[in-house]
Amino acid sequence: MIGLISATAAGAAARDRLAAAWPDRTRVYEGPVGEAVRSAFSECEQLVCFLATGATVRLLAPLLAGKAADPGVVCVDEGGRFAVSLVGGHGGGANELAREVGELLGAEPVVTTATDAVGLAGLDTLGLPCEGAVAAVSRALLDGEPVALDAESTWPLPPLPVSPRGSYTIRLTDRDVEPGPREVLLRPPSLVVGVGASKGAPVDEVFGLIEETLREAGLSPRSVAELATVDAKSEEPGILGAAGRLGVPVVTYSAEELATVEVPNPSAAPLAAVGTPSVAEAAALLGGGELLVPKRKSDASPAMATCAVVRRPGRGRLAVVGLGPGARDLLTPRATAELRRASVLVGLDQYVDQIRDLLRPGTRVLESGLGAEEERARTAVEQARLGHAVALIGSGDAGVYAMASPALAEASDDIEVIGVPGVTAALAAAAILGAPLGHDHVSISLSDLHTPWEVIERRVRAAAEADLVVTFYNPRSRGRDWQLPKALGILAEHRAPTTPVGVVRNASRPDGSSRVSTLAGLDPASVDMMTVVTVGNTATRTVAGRMVTPRGYRWQNGRSEQPEETR
């Protein structure tokens, strides 16, 4: 919950805007400011104070306990110009909150955390538990000193500017070891503990068994990702209680699924009780991995709990990111976040140049020229299979005539795949032209490099006969100068010569241009590969120089098929 505190009418107005935008995330604190800050500090995970920073500092000073415990605090000035991350930038999430508040209120986020200020990923923001000399190693990264990454297993980490050797170390391990004086330990969630329990097994017995098993195996409980068991035990209090103490979820499988897993220690007892010869080992192994600790029983008499431990390898991550049509303000926040999350970036060289400034230090860039789409897709998937966090970029939306299709054709379920949508060239061009896509529409690429012309022509004819608005991608190049005239001729068999046609080149970019012509008046020679051509349907009209396709054929008669609010 985010506590909101203000002292003036202007602050209250901005406060109320946040409260209205985030009704489920915020709580307004009224009354004297000092009391409001004290109450919010003890009751909320984050605070936004519409107060001067000096006043907020004085109010907060007696309350501060430490960066691991304090809530994140953001200050917004009286004029709403700045959102200042004041306390708990990383641990309390104040840096990100300042950006969110700034975006909503139109304020400039002010973040002074050193790593954030220079674009480095903070070691305590990587999504993994960390311990050790975080401040010292972070300072070494900031100062450009060599910091080594000692990864005992591959994990899809964000980019870090590490060296093969260094006097400081970032160590990725699930083993129960103590960090050195110049070392940070990162704990990957690589361990799965399979658990079996008799009805009514005490939580102390279940948790004690897990704790002792991990300690004797030299494994860190901070790397436990989940407890796994059979469906029949999904509500067993002892298992749920142990998971609660570890802070991990309980994952369950059916007895039929568990019975298919080959285990070293099957038993007749669970087979008779729940229908599978193994619970602990089978549940831990079902998702794959290496069995580190075979089934063992608790020391109680009679033993009411069993467990087994499996190490799962890191699963690579592939984000297929659409960059939009070119303008930076049409690049989505989600796309920006994924670009900064990736340790490996794969893309066309000219697209890489568009967003190179957004990449974090340490990002490895694999770029290539035109015509290497399938090679880039294979490279991205291969890097993800090696356990890296990869971003594969494409213009517009990566799923529209771009990199998502070849990449997903290569990818299997051994990697995580995330699709990040982008603004397409068709949408960017339509916004410039007016509202040509107001009714049913279709996009067709006229490039026959990958699709036979006979197939393309059949699709154009179908769109013409169906009276769909058509946006042509890849309309004309030096070596393909006849396809666009041919396609326009097919549409002309079904549409009037005066049908509006929009032509937009480099939509949204500084050198972009646009014009509205007609089906009869368009000169195909004025079109190139950087252009999209949008041909209206029989209802499309030009209004004040803009293309408009009505939402319903009866619209121009003053009637609509359904009320606007139902659309």
Side-chain angles (χ1 to χ4, degrees):
M1 186 63 66
I2 303 171
L4 305 180
I5 301 102
S6 63
T8 66
R15 175 202 70 191
D16 292 344
R17 286 175 60 191
L18 278 190
W22 299 337
D24 298 327
R25 297 176 60 189
T26 57
R27 179 188 303 165
V28 173
Y29 284 80
E30 304 278 8
V33 170
E35 293 179 13
V37 168
R38 287 190 290 273
S39 297
F41 194 90
S42 64
E43 296 170 359
C44 297
E45 291 80 21
Q46 295 176 320
L47 281 71
V48 179
C49 298
F50 296 86
L51 307 168
T53 54
T56 307
V57 167
R58 285 190 291 273
L59 291 169
L60 290 175
L63 309 175
L64 298 177
K67 63 187 299 181
D70 295 334
V73 180
V74 170
C75 263
V76 179
D77 67 288
E78 182 76 3
R81 296 171 300 167
F82 303 104
V84 183
S85 174
L86 191 65
V87 173
H90 283 169
N95 291 351
E96 183 56 34
L97 180 60
R99 297 185 182 99
E100 288 187 83
V101 170
E103 183 176 351
L104 186 62
L105 298 181
E108 181 72 22
V110 179
V111 175
T112 58
T113 306
T115 49
D116 289 56
V118 299
L120 280 175
L123 297 177
D124 53 353
T125 67
L126 301 181
L128 302 179
C130 68
E131 54 196 86
V134 175
V137 174
S138 297
R139 187 165 54 249
L141 289 170
L142 288 166
D143 291 343
E145 297 187 46
V147 176
L149 175 63
D150 179 8
E152 297 179 5
S153 60
T154 305
W155 207 263
L157 293 173
L160 294 167
V162 293
S163 306
R165 297 178 183 83
S167 54
Y168 295 85
T169 305
I170 299 169
R171 187 176 178 187
L172 183 79
T173 181
D174 58 16
R175 295 191 296 120
D176 189 16
V177 294
E178 292 296 321
R182 293 187 166 192
E183 184 176 59
V184 167
L185 300 182
L186 297 179
R187 301 297 191 183
S190 54
L191 304 178
V192 177
V193 179
V195 182
S198 301
K199 184 177 178 59
V203 62
D204 287 343
E205 181 176 344
V206 178
F207 179 73
L209 171 63
I210 295 170
E211 193 175 41
E212 180 182 1
T213 299
L214 293 171
R215 183 174 60 252
E216 292 183 1
L219 299 171
S220 172
R222 301 190 78 186
S223 280
V224 175
E226 62 191 42
L227 300 189
T229 190
V230 66
D231 282 348
K233 299 297 178 179
S234 63
E235 301 297 328
E236 189 63 47
I239 295 177
L240 295 178
R245 292 186 187 181
L246 288 165
V248 300
V250 175
V251 177
T252 64
Y253 302 98
S254 68
E256 291 76 17
E257 289 177 291
L258 297 181
T260 65
V261 181
E262 187 175 340
V263 297
N265 299 292
S267 172
L271 179 62
V274 293
T276 173
S278 171
V279 173
E281 288 179 339
L285 283 166
L286 191 57
E290 174 190 3
L291 184 63
L292 300 181
V293 183
K295 180 181 74 174
R296 59 174 293 178
K297 297 180 180 180
S298 58
D299 293 332
S301 182
M304 299 184 73
T306 60
C307 79
V309 184
V310 163
R311 174 185 288 139
R312 288 182 183 170
R315 193 162 179 243
R317 189 175 189 277
L318 173 61
V320 187
V321 181
L323 301 180
R328 178 56 62 86
D329 60 354
L330 293 182
L331 177 69
T332 68
R334 187 180 300 180
T336 300
E338 287 295 343
L339 294 175
R340 296 175 67 78
R341 169 74 173 79
S343 61
V344 180
L345 182 85
V346 181
L348 180 67
D349 48 13
Q350 63 189 44
Y351 297 152
V352 171
D353 289 340
Q354 290 180 23
I355 47 84
R356 198 182 295 272
D357 63 300
L358 297 176
L359 305 179
R360 289 190 186 276
T363 304
R364 185 157 52 98
V365 178
L366 305 177
E367 54 188 310
S368 53
L370 287 167
E373 288 83 1
E374 292 181 355
E375 178 187 341
R376 284 195 291 275
R378 283 194 295 271
T379 298
V381 172
E382 287 167 3
Q383 290 295 315
R385 285 191 175 130
L386 291 174
H388 299 302
V390 182
L392 175 63
I393 59 175
S395 67
D397 183 282
V400 180
Y401 304 124
M403 296 305 302
S405 295
L408 269 60
E410 292 282 338
S412 50
D413 61 2
D414 57 342
I415 62 174
E416 181 183 7
V417 177
I418 297 95
V420 181
V423 178
T424 66
L427 294 177
I432 293 168
L433 293 170
L437 307 184
H439 209 295
D440 297 336
H441 54 274
V442 64
S443 295
I444 298 175
S445 171
L446 294 183
S447 172
D448 55 2
L449 294 177
H450 300 289
T451 306
W453 174 253
E454 293 76 13
V455 175
I456 297 172
E457 182 174 337
R458 187 163 66 247
R459 291 171 179 170
V460 174
R461 289 191 181 280
E465 293 170 359
D467 199 28
L468 298 173
V469 175
V470 182
T471 298
F472 288 123
Y473 279 73
N474 307 314
R476 187 176 181 274
S477 66
R478 291 180 181 178
R480 296 186 301 100
D481 59 2
W482 59 268
Q483 286 91 342
L484 179 58
K486 177 68 172 176
L488 294 175
I490 294 171
L491 292 175
E493 296 173 10
H494 300 269
R495 300 179 193 184
T498 56
T499 299
V501 177
V503 179
V504 180
R505 188 178 191 278
N506 284 336
S508 84
R509 300 185 185 186
D511 59 345
S513 62
S514 66
R515 67 186 186 279
V516 176
S517 183
T518 64
L519 195 52
L522 177 64
D523 179 9
S526 65
V527 173
D528 62 14
M529 283 289 287
M530 306 304 293
T531 306
V532 290
V533 177
T534 300
V535 182
N537 65 13
T538 57
T540 304
R541 299 290 182 266
T542 301
V543 180
R546 293 180 288 269
M547 288 180 67
V548 179
T549 301
R551 289 180 297 174
Y553 282 91
R554 291 180 288 179
W555 171 72
Q556 290 176 314
N557 295 326
R559 291 179 296 169
S560 179
E561 293 178 1
Q562 57 187 27
E564 182 175 348
E565 58 268 21
T566 67
R567 296 181 187 275

